Amino acid sequence: MFRRVGNVVVRHPVWTIVAWLIAAVAIVATAPSLPSNSDESSFLPKSYESIKAAELQEKAFPSAFTPSAIALYQRTDGGRLTAADQKDVARITSELGGKHIDQVQKVVPGQPSKDGKYAMTLVQMDSKNAGQPKQVDAAKELRKDVKDLAKGTHLDVKLGGSAAQALDQEDSSKRGQALIGIGTFVIILVTLLIIFRAPILAVLPLLLIGLVSAIANGLIAYATKLFDLQANSSISSILIVVLFGVGTDYFLFLMFRYRERLRAGDEPKQAMVNAVDRVGEAIASAAGAVIIAFLALVLSTLGFLKQMGPALAIAVGVTLIAGLTLIPAVVSLIGPKVFWPSKSWQKEPENARFAALGRGVQRRPALTAVLSGLVLVVLSLGTLGFNATFDLASGSMPKTKESMVVQDEMQQAYSAGAAAPTDVYLSSTDGKPLDKAAFGAYAQKLGAVEGVANARMAQVNKAGTTADFTVTLKYEASTDKAIDAVGQVRDVAHSAAPDGTEALVGGMSSIFKDIDSAVNHDYRTVFPVAALLIMVILGLLLRSVVAPWYLIASVGLGFGATLGATVWIFQEGQGHSGLMFMLPVIMYLFVVAIGTDYNILMIARLREEAREGREPREAAGMALRHAGPTVAAAGFILAATFATMMLAGNALLTEMGFAVSFGIAVAAFVMAMFFTPSLTALIGHAAWWPGHGDQAKPTASGAGTGPSDASGGAGRDSVTHDPAGRRG
């Protein structure tokens, strides 16, 4: 199949390129916009209690005041607010409400702080558009207006709240994407220049993947709208890295193979056909593993991950098609001039360093397996200290952003949970009015829960069938203590509810509690499903039942080592309270899926060496010698491109960038180079049961089947070749 694909695109390169350009223009011109949603509650399905509580609140208290933005005032000298300052706050609040800004429904004064140093203006917006672009624009206008109104006073005013956080998150995301894009571009360009010493080859993948990126983003926007998926600005930053990192990997696999076929004496166009034929199966299998792992996220209960899975799968799918069609078409048009001005492509490298490593694995496979495995096990011990944090807003932007400063100052000036109180909604089950005489005792029981600062009955709906009890926690809404406390509030709210009533607990801490439950559900479902599907792909590729088990086990060890190292760096080293809650899920999929790529490339080369009649140990040594350079180059580029996410300046992408880049480095330089080949050497022929894929195949005279080098590494000098690209 791959030979036929290669023949078509090499025979019709211009038409292939034109088809891609037409597709790009059509998709980009017609794709819908992709709005960002930073509202954590939108990530959960309606079956969770916090979402049921939010829906009940909208029905029972449609005019209930829930601030979307908070203007926080303090004196410029840091002192207590004077009577004149309080008059200025009242004036600003009144004039701000009189501006009738789009999306703004109410503007009311808030409570002053107990120390008298802070005052607030609370702004309510249309809850139906929470986290949407309209409210981001409204927050931008509010921030400008409130600062203009405070000019000439002794007040310093900052705008916080969920709408302001969405505004700051959008701004931070744009800056982060720019830094990530520039960093990725520079790393790929410099690394390819060092590897090939050819400017055309260094620039070409960046241009082609840029075209692929435009098409992928358009298709993702279509899919997001078609299937009503949630969008988040962080996905754009991840997409940049996935497209350019994975795309460059596939480009490298193809170009190493193309160069090898030219060295073997193939005519340039035939060399490209042979390259696609030889490397196509390995690229398709590697991409298939990544796509299936990403699609496993559809099983997630979180809207953020449900959208990320298909988005990344689409990106890798488009990159795979480009790797087998667009890149071969463009390179076949340019021919060997793509390597200009370097002459090194014309001669076979000795690969002395990788040959020495190969000999080490060949001589001492047991020692290599034990040492490399021990490194992974020791690093994995760090997972025992893993702790999750749930504040996606503050994790998605630097602490210096204005909305984050407001959040921190409010925690100091007011009760830590005052900015996001918990609401307990008590409703009658028979439609009759509630017994108000029981409210006092019920509120008292809620207030007695450990971790609760105070609890009071706030309001009753017009029908008298639902009462809202406001519970203020002692802790900030996203902390572990707040999540534990709201769990106890739920227990008491349910058990203490009078006969004929039921209670639902809402608010941000309740949402985070449900997100915690959802993530734990994902650990139990997404992880094993992704692993099982990847094992199926490995089994089909290798025609083996045995090899997929230890290959996926080795990648699982790599995941543990990566999470452990991340815990030690960020929790122990930098003092973070925990890692972002979705990090293990994302890291598992990236490290397992992409880490499997390098295992696929190495094990495919090892199989080819074995098919030449080499014993398992010798085959492992030769595989490392010839496939090692490509795995090292691809692993370095991909790890470095993911590391650019650390430039974004926020906790989520910094942690994700480090974890995934470290995991890919472990996959390439520990697992694929040492752990996997040494284990395969130790297991021997049994690794290929029941397919016996390592058995030497009988060949006709002059038409042997030599190593097809799925990794694109250099072949040996003592080979002959025929027009079809077979080697003997």
Side-chain angles (χ1 to χ4, degrees):
M1 182 184 80
F2 296 105
R3 174 167 288 277
R4 288 198 297 271
V5 171
N7 271 318
V8 170
V9 298
V10 170
R11 193 177 298 124
H12 308 289
V14 175
W15 286 112
T16 302
I17 297 168
V18 168
W20 272 90
L21 292 173
I22 291 173
V25 172
I27 291 172
V28 171
T30 60
S33 60
L34 190 63
S36 174
N37 192 345
S38 60
D39 180 15
E40 284 92 340
S41 64
S42 66
F43 299 156
L44 287 167
K46 294 181 178 180
S47 59
Y48 283 86
E49 181 171 349
S50 59
I51 306 305
K52 290 180 179 178
E55 291 177 344
L56 175 61
Q57 181 259 317
E58 289 183 7
K59 292 178 182 177
F61 308 102
S63 59
F65 189 91
T66 304
S68 299
I70 301 171
L72 185 66
Y73 307 88
Q74 67 178 129
R75 282 185 60 85
T76 52
D77 59 9
R80 291 174 61 89
L81 297 174
T82 65
D85 295 330
Q86 292 171 357
K87 286 183 179 179
D88 285 330
V89 170
R91 173 186 59 80
I92 293 169
T93 301
S94 176
E95 292 183 14
L96 199 61
K99 288 185 176 290
H100 303 294
I101 298 170
D102 181 43
Q103 295 296 305
V104 173
Q105 296 175 328
K106 288 183 182 178
V107 181
V108 300
Q111 293 292 324
S113 62
K114 291 181 180 179
D115 61 9
K117 292 183 177 181
Y118 292 88
M120 294 187 294
T121 293
L122 307 178
V123 181
Q124 178 176 288
M125 297 186 188
D126 187 352
S127 62
K128 295 178 181 177
N129 294 322
Q132 297 301 316
K134 288 181 180 179
Q135 291 201 359
V136 172
D137 294 339
K140 189 174 184 179
E141 189 172 348
L142 274 170
R143 181 171 283 171
K144 178 182 181 299
D145 288 347
V146 77
K147 291 181 185 298
D148 288 343
L149 291 171
K151 287 180 179 177
T153 70
H154 295 288
L155 296 172
D156 175 48
V157 58
K158 303 181 187 72
L159 191 75
S162 59
Q165 287 177 355
L167 172 63
D168 290 340
Q169 189 179 35
E170 183 181 86
D171 178 66
S172 178
S173 176
K174 288 179 180 177
R175 176 181 174 275
Q177 286 181 42
L179 289 173
I180 289 169
I182 294 170
T184 300
F185 185 91
V186 171
I187 286 170
I188 293 175
L189 186 67
V190 171
T191 307
L192 290 178
L193 277 172
I194 293 172
I195 292 173
F196 292 106
R197 298 178 180 84
I200 297 175
L201 261 183
V203 173
L204 192 59
L206 297 171
L207 296 176
L208 297 181
I209 298 168
L211 177 65
V212 171
S213 175
I215 294 175
N217 276 292
L219 293 176
I220 289 165
Y222 273 119
T224 301
K225 185 174 182 179
L226 181 63
F227 297 105
D228 193 27
L229 301 170
Q230 297 294 338
N232 186 274
S233 56
S234 297
I235 292 178
S236 299
S237 300
I238 299 169
L239 274 174
I240 293 172
V241 177
V242 169
L243 283 164
F244 281 89
V246 174
T248 304
D249 263 11
Y250 298 162
F251 179 82
L252 274 176
F253 301 157
L254 187 67
M255 293 312 301
F256 269 95
R257 189 63 190 192
Y258 176 60
R259 184 175 66 178
E260 184 220 339
R261 295 313 310 158
L262 288 174
R263 287 169 175 166
D266 288 359
E267 181 270 330
K269 288 189 179 295
Q270 190 61 47
M272 181 54 72
V273 173
N274 290 337
V276 174
D277 179 36
R278 298 291 184 86
V279 83
E281 184 182 20
I283 290 179
S285 299
V290 178
I291 290 169
I292 281 180
F294 288 158
L295 286 178
L297 284 175
V298 173
L299 300 175
S300 171
T301 50
L302 294 174
F304 172 77
L305 295 178
K306 274 182 179 291
Q307 197 268 347
M308 177 182 284
L312 296 179
I314 289 170
V316 175
V318 176
T319 305
L320 167 64
I321 296 170
L324 298 177
T325 59
L326 180 62
I327 293 173
V330 173
V331 174
S332 66
L333 273 181
I334 301 172
K337 292 180 181 178
V338 76
F339 296 105
W340 177 88
S342 173
K343 301 291 186 182
S344 61
W345 67 271
Q346 298 174 350
K347 59 183 179 181
E348 206 75 57
E350 295 181 0
N351 292 337
R353 188 171 302 171
F354 289 95
L357 293 175
R359 288 193 297 271
V361 170
Q362 179 178 339
R363 292 170 184 166
R364 299 181 180 86
L367 180 63
T368 304
V370 168
L371 290 178
S372 55
L374 190 62
V375 170
L376 299 176
V377 170
V378 169
L379 288 174
S380 297
L381 295 176
T383 59
L384 299 175
F386 171 73
N387 188 41
T389 58
F390 296 87
D391 190 355
L392 186 61
S394 63
S396 300
M397 68 185 101
K399 290 290 187 181
T400 54
K401 285 292 184 180
E402 186 171 326
S403 59
M404 292 295 97
V405 174
V406 170
Q407 180 174 290
D408 292 341
E409 290 182 349
M410 284 191 65
Q411 289 177 30
Q412 297 172 8
Y414 299 83
S415 170
T422 296
D423 289 289
V424 177
Y425 299 102
L426 187 68
S427 301
S428 65
T429 55
D430 55 9
K432 296 179 180 179
L434 295 167
D435 179 11
K436 295 183 179 180
F439 288 174
Y442 189 67
Q444 189 175 4
K445 289 180 180 179
L446 293 174
V449 174
E450 185 178 354
V452 173
N454 61 75
R456 61 184 178 84
M457 203 287 291
Q459 57 186 329
V460 181
N461 69 338
K462 290 181 180 180
T465 56
T466 300
D468 174 14
F469 293 82
T470 299
V471 178
T472 303
L473 302 178
K474 296 178 181 178
Y475 319 110
E476 194 275 320
S478 65
T479 60
D480 289 338
K481 290 183 177 180
I483 293 169
D484 291 340
V486 87
Q488 296 180 50
V489 169
R490 281 185 178 182
D491 292 339
V492 172
H494 297 159
S495 62
D499 292 340
T501 67
E502 64 177 0
L504 291 173
V505 180
M508 288 310 301
S509 293
S510 185
I511 288 172
F512 291 136
K513 176 73 174 176
D514 286 340
I515 288 177
D516 188 24
S517 300
V519 170
N520 289 331
H521 166 270
D522 291 349
Y523 291 162
R524 296 190 299 269
T525 54
V526 176
F527 282 22
V529 168
L532 181 63
L533 293 175
I534 290 173
M535 285 179 64
V536 169
I537 285 189
L538 288 171
L540 293 173
L541 170 68
L542 302 174
R543 282 79 170 173
S544 168
V545 173
V546 177
W549 285 98
Y550 68 83
L551 288 176
I552 203 69
S554 70
V555 178
L557 264 180
F559 164 77
T562 303
L563 181 57
T566 307
V567 168
W568 276 334
I569 292 291
F570 290 97
Q571 286 186 210
E572 306 298 332
Q574 297 189 11
H576 290 196
S577 61
L579 305 178
M580 290 305 297
F581 67 90
M582 80 277 282
L583 184 65
V585 177
I586 295 171
M587 188 176 70
Y588 174 86
L589 294 170
F590 276 99
V591 173
V592 169
I594 298 176
T596 303
D597 282 7
Y598 301 127
N599 270 343
I600 286 175
L601 293 167
M602 184 61 73
I603 206 76
R605 180 58 195 251
L606 193 153
R607 179 181 61 181
E608 296 301 333
E609 295 292 344
R611 282 176 172 175
E612 286 200 330
R614 292 186 171 86
E615 286 302 309
R617 292 193 179 197
E618 185 185 4
M622 294 302 292
L624 180 54
R625 174 186 176 184
H626 296 299
T630 309
V631 170
F636 173 80
I637 288 179
L638 194 58
T641 52
F642 271 104
T644 61
M645 294 170 68
M646 299 174 70
L647 300 173
N650 66 64
L652 173 61
L653 292 180
T654 298
E655 291 172 4
M656 194 183 299
F658 171 81
V660 177
S661 61
F662 184 86
I664 289 169
V666 167
F669 296 100
V670 179
M671 289 189 301
M673 286 198 187
F674 299 106
F675 195 62
T676 297
S678 59
L679 271 182
T680 306
L682 285 173
I683 296 172
H685 297 293
W688 307 99
W689 184 87
H692 305 295
D694 65 330
Q695 289 185 354
K697 293 185 177 181
T699 60
S701 177
T705 54
S708 66
D709 189 11
S711 68
R716 287 168 297 283
D717 293 331
S718 55
V719 297
T720 61
H721 63 275
D722 63 14
R726 293 186 296 269
R727 296 165 61 178

